Amino acid sequence: MLNFRITKYDPKNRNSDGHYKVDEWTCPSDVGKTFNGIEFKASEYFKIEEKYINAVIECLQSKHIKHLRVVDLESKFLEDNLSDKDNQWLVREEFKNIKLFEDKKLEIDDLKIVIKMILRGFLWCRLEINEQFSLRFGWDYYMYICCFDLNEGTIKKISETGLFVELLEPLYDMKRYDFYIQTCRADEDGHTLVEEEILLKTMTREKIKKGLDLSDEHIGDHNFDITPQNYAMFKNDFEFNFTEYEYCLYCDKIYI
């Protein structure tokens, strides 16, 4: 699949190493700061956010895709983020009502809500359909879409909104992964420390999906906690001691 970067950042402002040379806002918390002599206002943030969402919908419609799956969900601090007094100008009631879990099927209306929550820093996940479409967000308001192609009409519509569509080299082989079991223990401050990491030589995405009862549309390459409820798929490869340790499955992508 092809890897597209769709952002507000003009490629002409990058140096030969790809570093962006212009000082611009990179997250909603920058509202109120001054960039190039101009105050960054909330209205400008919401305007750009809407362009990102519309760009995603434009890409999905061009592919006749009506939903995506939640993949690699990170929502541990969602409630804290939503209740933070500094975030209240970004909170919407639908953020509190939507129920998210790994592999959840999101139709377009819910996709819009989740994309807003990701861009505003309340949670993180990838939004995908296995080997068809992948949407992910990086630091500093970067958005990436992987798909087999984007037609010229779609790219033109997105570009006309002021966003920039760039075709990049793929970062990693999307069909090759290494899976590790990490043995963890909490320190005195409650931070999780990895004490040991074991490569699972026979683990595959298909085994992960079957063991977790995930849909065919889930890619099966996410990280997750291993618990007494889901460890059965690993018991022939690893001996667990849940009374003393915590465990997680770490998926290491093979970078090109």
Side-chain angles (χ1 to χ4, degrees):
M1 294 200 295
L2 301 179
N3 183 31
F4 294 92
R5 180 169 63 194
I6 303 176
T7 69
K8 65 187 183 71
Y9 302 108
D10 190 338
K12 73 180 183 182
N13 293 325
R14 297 187 184 279
N15 61 23
S16 58
D17 295 321
H19 301 146
Y20 202 73
K21 300 181 295 181
V22 178
D23 185 26
E24 292 189 17
W25 65 269
T26 59
C27 60
S29 62
D30 284 335
V31 164
K33 298 179 182 179
T34 299
F35 297 89
N36 301 307
I38 301 174
E39 181 184 351
F40 176 43
K41 297 182 178 181
S43 58
E44 175 66 13
Y45 170 76
F46 291 125
K47 179 181 177 182
I48 298 299
E49 179 188 79
E50 190 68 18
K51 290 182 179 181
Y52 274 56
I53 295 170
N54 289 340
V56 173
I57 303 307
E58 193 68 47
C59 292
L60 291 174
Q61 289 178 342
S62 74
K63 300 293 182 184
H64 307 289
I65 295 174
K66 297 182 179 180
H67 69 271
L68 294 174
R69 296 275 179 175
V70 173
V71 177
D72 214 2
L73 177 63
E74 297 179 14
S75 59
K76 182 177 180 180
F77 300 105
L78 176 58
E79 291 188 10
D80 291 340
N81 291 336
L82 290 176
S83 61
D84 189 326
K85 64 179 182 179
D86 293 332
N87 292 334
Q88 293 311 299
W89 68 281
L90 290 167
V91 175
R92 299 295 179 266
E93 194 63 30
E94 57 264 32
F95 296 177
K96 302 175 183 178
N97 296 331
I98 192 168
K99 304 300 181 184
L100 296 175
F101 50 85
E102 191 69 31
D103 199 30
K104 180 172 181 175
K105 180 179 178 180
L106 297 177
E107 308 287 350
I108 296 299
D109 286 344
D110 282 343
L111 275 174
K112 293 178 180 179
I113 294 172
V114 173
I115 292 171
K116 286 181 182 179
M117 295 176 75
I118 295 172
L119 289 173
R120 299 181 191 187
F122 292 117
L123 56 79
W124 188 87
C125 67
R126 304 189 326 256
L127 299 165
E128 301 183 336
I129 291 182
N130 187 21
E131 298 186 6
Q132 290 188 47
F133 193 96
S134 174
L135 169 65
R136 63 184 178 87
F137 298 88
W139 294 105
D140 297 340
Y141 228 74
Y142 278 82
M143 181 169 74
Y144 302 89
I145 287 177
C146 289
C147 57
F148 287 108
D149 195 11
L150 286 179
N151 61 55
E152 292 184 5
T154 299
I155 293 175
K156 183 174 184 292
K157 287 181 180 179
I158 295 172
S159 300
E160 287 174 346
T161 70
L163 299 184
F164 299 90
V165 182
E166 303 169 80
L167 178 60
L168 305 180
E169 292 295 325
L171 292 176
Y172 54 86
D173 186 335
M174 297 186 71
K175 293 187 178 182
R176 295 178 59 221
Y177 307 88
D178 284 335
F179 293 97
Y180 296 85
I181 289 181
Q182 294 180 335
T183 301
C184 308
R185 189 196 296 270
D187 64 13
E188 295 179 354
D189 297 322
H191 300 127
T192 299
L193 304 177
V194 177
E195 294 197 350
E196 185 180 34
E197 191 173 74
I198 302 296
L199 174 65
L200 300 176
K201 296 182 179 180
T202 62
M203 187 53 61
T204 65
R205 292 188 296 132
E206 288 69 28
K207 290 181 180 179
I208 296 291
K209 292 166 67 171
K210 182 178 180 180
L212 296 178
D213 195 26
L214 300 173
S215 70
D216 289 338
E217 291 182 334
H218 194 288
I219 195 169
D221 70 345
H222 65 300
N223 307 319
F224 59 90
D225 293 334
I226 301 173
T227 68
Q229 289 71 43
N230 67 14
Y231 83 104
M233 73 182 95
F234 307 110
K235 63 183 181 181
N236 293 330
D237 302 300
F238 193 86
E239 185 174 341
F240 294 90
N241 181 357
F242 288 105
T243 60
E244 292 191 26
Y245 298 100
E246 297 177 350
Y247 302 92
C248 71
L249 189 284
Y250 172 65
C251 175
D252 187 21
K253 299 173 179 61
I254 308 300
Y255 286 83
I256 297 173

